[in-house]
Amino acid sequence: MAGIKVFGHAASISTRRVLLTLHEKNLDFELVHVDLKDGEHKKEPFLSRHPFGKVPAFEDGDLKLFESRAITQYIAHRYEGQGTNLLQPDSKNLAHYAIMAIGMQVEAHQFDPVASKLAWEHVFKLIYGLTTDQAVVAEEEAKLAKVLDVYEARLKEFKYLAGNTFTLTDLHHVPAIQYLLETPTKKLFTERPRVNEWVAEITKRPASKKILQ
Amino acid sequence: MRTILQGSLLPPPPIKLSHSSLLFSPSHSHSNLKFTSKSSPSPPTITMASIKVHGVPMSTATMRVLAALYEKDLDFELIPVDMRAGAHKQEPFVSLNPFGQIPALQDGDLTLFESRAITEYIADEYSEKGEKLMCPGCNKVKAITKVWLNVEGQQFDPIASKIAFERIFKGMFGMTTDPAAVQELEGKLVRVLDIYEARLSKSEFLACDCFTLADLHHLPVIHYLMGTDSKTLFESRPKVAEWVKKITARPAWAKVVDLQKQ
């Protein structure tokens, strides 16, 4: 019973993306803490699990994976019959899957780089005793506003980003959004009505609350 | 340098599956370029190309999609987008991609954007045609492919694209390369390539022993970097060098490169 193990840090956005998926699926797992402050992620034995030295890494029996979005997709497919369905309702429909895939690419390439920088400036820098760079915040918020304008229009047509059900596309956003809601950047979400509603929906899910513990 | 769309963003039509394809009028400033993957010239036919790619051959993201189409032997129409005029930031293009970036793809009444979502769709929808582009196997094997797809998108491309921008595209826009930036970026890229070197010592291609999208997605940026001094980073690592040679020698890739010359 080797089971599922996540090697990461409970506060890390990428680790939380995987934990969230496991909670949505009601899957048992072990979180093996990786000491980021100590640089454990840049040394063996962790590097054998993630050659790029980043959290999280993942194990399901003898399958070893890294990259949070590869892990969440594996979980969503492998455990399709269990817990919340994180794929499109008709999971075999390739056109529907492609629409969801677009949303996942958008999160990875348009949303996350910006949201992560803002979380770094507003939240994580302070933990490391560094100061927020307001110029960077202003620049990144301008980019985020443009992305959220597109989301606002999208969410006027659909309840969630890939359609009318909650999918991986929405889930991938949750950890970064949770951090940003505790910062001045929150206003970018709350001042857009549909985005605001969507944020409320995805963060009130029981699984979303579990990763904050 | 992107043209900023003036005024408020118009809400684009939804990306619904029943969305009818937007046909660009033939009076567009560039003639629509129809390409078939067949190497021998065929007599003119009424091409009902159900696949349309909106983009330009110079764009790395567009090339990524074209490579997948050629690997699959699929007919398609390449519809140029006038980047200099900022067409990608305006209607009708933003109805295809509300983020205002090329490429966008239409297949019948399905509209897609984000090159890596498009290539994945092509590999899945046309899985029986042409090259496989995915590792054969079940969930576990697919998962490994996804790992390396994410590696390209999250670890390799952010760095390598910036180097290509510094060394090549800046010059095209009348800007100057920043040597300090290039040095810093190359310092990061070598760490990625060291990991690739180790990986390719254990696996013939990145995801498995077959050529897949995980390799293909690298082609456009590697193609550009191999025409610059950054090529030494690839050439100095034996397994990486061998892999670069293999993937850039593929006939489908040669066709993409050919498009740039036209």
Side-chain angles (χ1 to χ4, degrees), chain A residues 7 34-35 38-54 64, chain B residues 195 198 202:
Chain A
F7 302 82
V34 175
D35 195 335
D38 204 39
E40 192 185 332
H41 52 313
K42 301 292 181 191
K43 303 186 275 213
E44 292 295 357
F46 185 80
L47 284 179
S48 297
R49 296 187 175 281
H50 194 319
F52 294 87
K54 297 187 189 187
K64 293 179 171 37
Chain B
I195 293 164
K202 289 184 290 196

Side-chain angles (χ1 to χ4, degrees), chain A residues 51-52 54 62 66-67 69-70 73-74 78 94 96-97 102 105-106 108-110 150 153-154 157-158, chain B residues 12 14-17 98-99 101 113-114 116-117 120 124-125 139-140 146-147 150-151 153-155 195:
Chain A
F52 294 87
K54 297 187 189 187
D62 58 5
F66 60 94
E67 287 295 329
R69 296 171 187 86
Q73 284 180 67
Y74 163 75
R78 168 72 180 78
L94 294 177
H96 292 183
Y97 185 85
I102 291 175
Q105 294 293 333
V106 166
H109 292 280
Q110 317 278 359
V150 178
R154 174 79 180 154
E157 302 293 333
F158 297 100
Chain B
I15 306 163
K16 282 191 181 132
L17 299 165
F99 292 91
Q101 293 169 341
F113 58 92
E114 287 293 333
R116 296 172 185 84
E120 204 181 342
D124 283 339
E125 177 69 14
N139 278 323
K140 291 190 176 184
K146 297 259 172 164
V147 166
N150 273 269
V151 165
Q154 302 296 121
Q155 316 287 353
I195 293 164

Side-chain angles (χ1 to χ4, degrees), chain B residues 171-199:
Chain B
M172 290 179 185
F173 298 124
M175 294 154 72
T176 21
T177 305
D178 177 351
V182 170
Q183 194 174 16
E184 190 188 334
L185 289 163
E186 287 191 338
K188 292 181 184 169
L189 184 61
V190 299
R191 290 207 292 269
V192 172
L193 293 181
D194 284 341
I195 293 164
Y196 280 28
E197 184 70 11
R199 174 66 182 168

Side-chain angles (χ1 to χ4, degrees), chain A residues 9-20 36 55-56 68-69 72 107 111-112 115-120 123-124 171-180 211:
Chain A
H9 195 295
S12 133
I13 287 174
S14 300
T15 303
R16 284 184 171 185
R17 199 172 279 126
V18 172
L19 301 180
L20 186 46
L36 301 179
V55 292
S68 65
R69 296 171 187 86
T72 59
E107 183 275 330
F111 178 87
D112 184 70
S116 290
K117 280 200 185 81
L118 287 166
W120 169 251
V123 179
F124 297 107
L171 182 153
H172 284 175
H173 291 80
V174 170
I177 287 180
Q178 284 176 326
Y179 276 115
L180 294 181
I211 62 172

Side-chain angles (χ1 to χ4, degrees), chain A residues 135-151:
Chain A
V136 171
V137 167
E139 193 183 331
E140 297 301 318
E141 283 193 345
K143 292 178 193 170
L144 182 58
K146 291 208 176 95
V147 172
L148 293 181
D149 283 342
V150 178
Y151 282 22

Side-chain angles (χ1 to χ4, degrees), chain B residues 78-129:
Chain B
L78 176 59
I79 300 171
V81 177
D82 193 342
M83 307 290 288
R84 275 185 200 264
H88 54 309
K89 299 293 183 188
Q90 302 163 34
E91 294 295 359
F93 184 81
V94 288
S95 293
L96 301 176
N97 182 355
F99 292 91
Q101 293 169 341
I102 57 173
L105 176 138
Q106 291 172 293
D107 187 359
D109 61 5
L110 176 65
T111 300
L112 303 175
F113 58 92
E114 287 293 333
S115 65
R116 296 172 185 84
I118 295 171
T119 58
E120 204 181 342
Y121 165 76
I122 290 166
D124 283 339
E125 177 69 14
Y126 299 100
S127 61
E128 301 306 308
K129 275 212 89 189

